[in-house]
Amino acid sequence: MGLSKFRNTLQLEGSKRFGDVGKFSNVAISGIFRGSYDGVYDLNDEDYGDKAGRSIALENSIAGLGSTVPFGEGLKLPFTFDTANHPNQGMVVLGEHLHPTDGGVAFGVPVRPCDVDSRGCINGYLDKDMDNLRFREFNDRLDFIRELYVDFDLNLDNGHILSTRLGKQQVIWGRTDLFRVLDVINPVDYSRNNIYDELEDIRIPMWILKTDYRMGATETFDDLNFQVVWNFDRFRPHDLGQCGQPNVILDAGCFFRGMNTLWEFGGTVANFANGNIATDFGPGQIGIRQAHMPSWSLSNTQIGLKMEGVLGDLGFSLNALSYRSQLPSLRGGIPAQNAFTGEVGVWPNLIAFDIYFPRITLLGGSMDYYAQDIDTVFRVEAAHSSGEEFANTINTLLYSESDVLRYVIGADKNIFIPFLNDSRAFLFSGQIFGQHILDYEREERPLGEAGIPDWEHNWTATLLIKGWWMNDRLSPQLITAHDFRAQSTVVALAVEWLYSDRLKITAGANFKLGSGARKFDDCRTCNPWDPFTAGLDGHPPGYSLGLSGFQPMGRFQSGPIGMAMEEDELQLTLRYSF
């Protein structure tokens, strides 16, 4: 237990209205500027700063329960690595704070900022130095300009309005909270506070042109609007957090950094050879080689279309978007060195990857309906996407493409609970999120299941209960979320106190319950370098036998809640408005 965040933020907001300017009306310019300093990297530098990490040892199950070997002293393959170039310092064992190795694979991960220790820092993707971590908005993408845009309308002769917003902004599609089904235009900074901050605060604004053709009431609809969104900014993925930060969702950033370290420098991998012997690999044999970050070009920009309308108590939208995946995809099939022969080639099912961000096509829609008889708002949102890529240990490239169906069904209702508050209703808001991978592959192998580690069908439910007292100056709330397949739950409590018109104090906590980390095929038995890596007589090359461990694939079964099972938090926020 220790300090994991000490963020100090200054945010300035302003707008200027110009009214009519030539042919344009309602001309205005608005801006939000935000800067922050997170002192945890100075106040707790032994966990998150330039003194983080230590020397490590890796599990070696063949020697018995609890047996380990120091980093660099595993089974020596003919082509191995030199600890002089890759010293045993400033590292942690992958996933050690989340689960035991328990007979599975694990390896060392450097955790110091990239200007202190550059090992595992993937160029252009996960390569934050100390100042990037402490002062995250002050970077080469000018993130201190949170939003800066101009609005203007053009009134057409037929009474319709062409309304445009141009600049750095958030474009919010959809009608639901927390789950991003249609709301995928802006990437999200999960390194700020995982999933526990409002999306308004953690979306990453982009330079976007948004134009609405507002028709108003028609013969059929009470209101009708067509929207074009052009995200012409240089591509940005989600910020999943770099290993060494307090918030690393799914622990993915640690996996990426450790895998890039293995590719660049080699390293010791726990329980690898024969499924139970700590093994030393050399550079260029396994790991992540590089990230292919899409450069700016017209073809790499992102375009979206939306039709939105109102019919009585029913609001709806139809949406279409062509965009780049904001989540990384690991594609195998890159040239690598055979650790036994020294030959460089492309080997089937070898755990050696490049990172890509594939293009995705999304089609979907949303509805909300106010049921007057029961005073309840129902919300539905659904999307079908094509082009998404998933890890897949059946495929020789260790990934495959699949269409995906996602949806959210939610309801909001105000309910009086007189014995708690006889003058103000409580807000109850519930949602259930579903995801279905339509081109799913998984099968039983001699030592376990192999294929896509994500669940073919999964659901997550949330419930928000919020109340108000003291003329709405005191507002406690309870949020719970339960991942049904991962069998993991998070409970988040918070109390907001508006001490004055300028000062708001929020105290909160979140606790995780459930099964935690899970195991899946880790490709130790994928046999890329036949016959040296064959596990059984007649073991085909590039064929996984299904031996499983927590790392690296189990994270997809655990989900963000299960992978954070050991990360309970207490939080205190003070917000003062000048």
Side-chain angles (χ1 to χ4, degrees), residues 33 35 88 182 204 260 289 301 348 357 488 495 531 573:
F33 304 89
N88 187 10
L182 296 174
I204 301 174
N260 181 252
R289 181 177 64 170
T301 59
F357 298 89
S488 298
V495 177
T573 302

Side-chain angles (χ1 to χ4, degrees), residues 270-339:
N271 303 315
F272 200 93
N274 198 42
N276 57 7
I277 304 173
T279 307
D280 290 348
F281 287 89
Q285 295 174 2
I286 61 173
I288 292 175
R289 181 177 64 170
Q290 61 182 320
H292 296 266
M293 303 300 295
S295 59
W296 192 93
S297 68
L298 192 60
S299 62
N300 273 337
T301 59
Q302 303 170 72
I303 189 78
L305 303 172
K306 179 175 78 167
M307 182 179 78
E308 189 170 30
V310 176
L311 183 60
D313 292 328
L314 176 69
F316 71 92
S317 75
L318 298 174
N319 306 68
L321 180 68
S322 175
Y323 71 109
R324 287 275 182 182
S325 172
Q326 295 150 350
L327 288 171
S329 171
L330 299 184
R331 297 180 182 177
I334 67 172
Q337 183 189 58
N338 186 316

Side-chain angles (χ1 to χ4, degrees), residues 214-272:
R214 304 186 183 279
M215 299 176 64
T218 68
E219 292 182 0
T220 304
F221 300 101
D222 298 312
D223 189 46
L224 190 62
N225 175 50
F226 293 88
Q227 183 180 97
V228 177
V229 177
W230 179 32
N231 181 350
F232 56 86
D233 205 347
R234 180 159 54 98
F235 170 76
R236 290 189 75 166
H238 293 316
D239 190 336
L240 304 178
Q242 176 175 292
C243 202
Q245 290 186 261
N247 297 120
V248 185
I249 191 168
L250 282 173
D251 206 39
C254 289
F255 171 64
F256 294 147
R257 189 167 184 179
M259 287 286 280
N260 181 252
T261 301
L262 282 174
W263 179 268
E264 296 292 340
F265 299 96
T268 305
V269 181
N271 303 315
F272 200 93

Side-chain angles (χ1 to χ4, degrees), residues 17 52 105 176 198 229 242 270 339 390 397 432 445 544:
R17 298 190 178 278
V105 299
T176 55
E198 296 289 339
V229 177
Q242 176 175 292
F390 296 86
L397 299 179
I432 186 162
R445 294 289 175 84
S544 174

